């Protein structure tokens, strides 16, 4: 709730760029707090607006969020009350059903089209966790190794350490 308050107070900033960031963060927080359909619809609307205005950075941010969602559902990282599926059927269809192939396809596609290289370690880590959750250790290790190659100059980075733990067989993601 404190995060929601911070986002709401930041909304008063009149800068258009920051307003976009705040709006995207608020919609993502809605999804993460369980207001799945409303948050997802807001994200879809925002993505269309960002696409029309040429704001590829925030558009790719939404795409990364949407790509990570089915990966986290498939890996069990995101837990939800089963009644959420009935209360949010459009969200369930969009992200939950056939989550593994959707996650792979979305993450792989985003990796190929993003113009922002700083998204790549996040994408590799989501793929590594997804593959590990599906019992595909060689693929998980390959993604974790690529992540470490991307962050070779930053071995103290959280993602670098998490990739190392995944390779060494430690299943902790945090």
């Amino acid at each position: 709730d404190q995060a929601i308050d911070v986002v709401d107070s930041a909304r008063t900033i009149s800068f258009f760029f920051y307003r976009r960031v705040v709006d995207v963060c608020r919609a993502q927080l809605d999804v993460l707090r369980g207001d799945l359909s409303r948050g997802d619809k807001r994200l879809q609307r925002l993505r269309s607006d960002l696409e029309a205005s040429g704001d590829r950075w925030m558009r790719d941010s939404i795409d990364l969020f949407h790509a990570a969602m089915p990966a986290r559902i498939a890996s069990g990282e995101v837990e939800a009350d089963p009644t959420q599926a009935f209360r949010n059927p459009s969200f369930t269809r969009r992200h939950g059903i056939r989550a593994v192939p959707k996650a792979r396809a979305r993450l792989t596609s985003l990796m190929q089209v993003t113009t922002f290289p700083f998204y790549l370690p996040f994408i590799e880590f989501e793929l590594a966790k997804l593959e590990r959750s599906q019992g595909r250790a060689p693929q998980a290790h390959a993604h974790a190794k690529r992540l470490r190659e991307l962050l070779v100059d930053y071995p103290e980075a959280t993602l670098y350490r998490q990739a190392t733990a995944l390779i060494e067989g430690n299943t902790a993601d945090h």
Side-chain angles (χ1 to χ4, degrees), residues 38 53 70 73 78 85 91 95 97 99 105 124 136 143 150 152:
R38 186 178 82 173
S53 71
I73 290 169
V78 171
F91 183 90
H95 302 291
I97 297 172
E124 290 287 3
R136 298 173 50 148
H143 288 293
L150 291 166
V152 69

Side-chain angles (χ1 to χ4, degrees), residues 7 21 27 87 123 142 153-154 164-165:
V7 169
V21 172
R87 288 189 300 225
I123 296 168
D153 294 330
Y154 307 97
T164 300

Side-chain angles (χ1 to χ4, degrees), residues 57-133:
W57 177 61
M58 289 306 299
R59 181 206 61 201
D60 282 4
S61 173
I62 291 172
D63 288 349
L64 179 56
F65 184 82
H66 276 145
M69 187 57 61
R72 292 176 179 184
I73 290 169
S75 69
E77 190 174 341
V78 171
E79 295 180 12
D81 179 345
T83 61
Q84 289 282 35
F86 296 113
R87 288 189 300 225
N88 299 280
S90 64
F91 183 90
T92 302
R93 279 191 305 277
R94 184 168 161 81
H95 302 291
I97 297 172
R98 298 189 35 81
V100 173
K102 282 180 185 177
R104 273 195 200 110
R106 289 178 189 176
L107 289 165
T108 302
S109 175
L110 184 58
M111 186 181 303
Q112 294 168 357
V113 300
T114 188
T115 56
F116 303 101
F118 53 85
Y119 283 140
L120 296 178
F122 296 102
I123 296 168
E124 290 287 3
F125 191 58
E126 291 298 332
L127 283 165
K129 293 186 302 181
L130 175 67
E131 298 300 356
R132 183 192 61 211
S133 76

Side-chain angles (χ1 to χ4, degrees), residues 24-36:
V24 169
C25 290
R26 178 59 196 247
Q28 290 173 340
L29 285 170
D30 284 346
V31 171
L32 295 173
R33 288 180 58 224
D35 197 349
L36 307 178

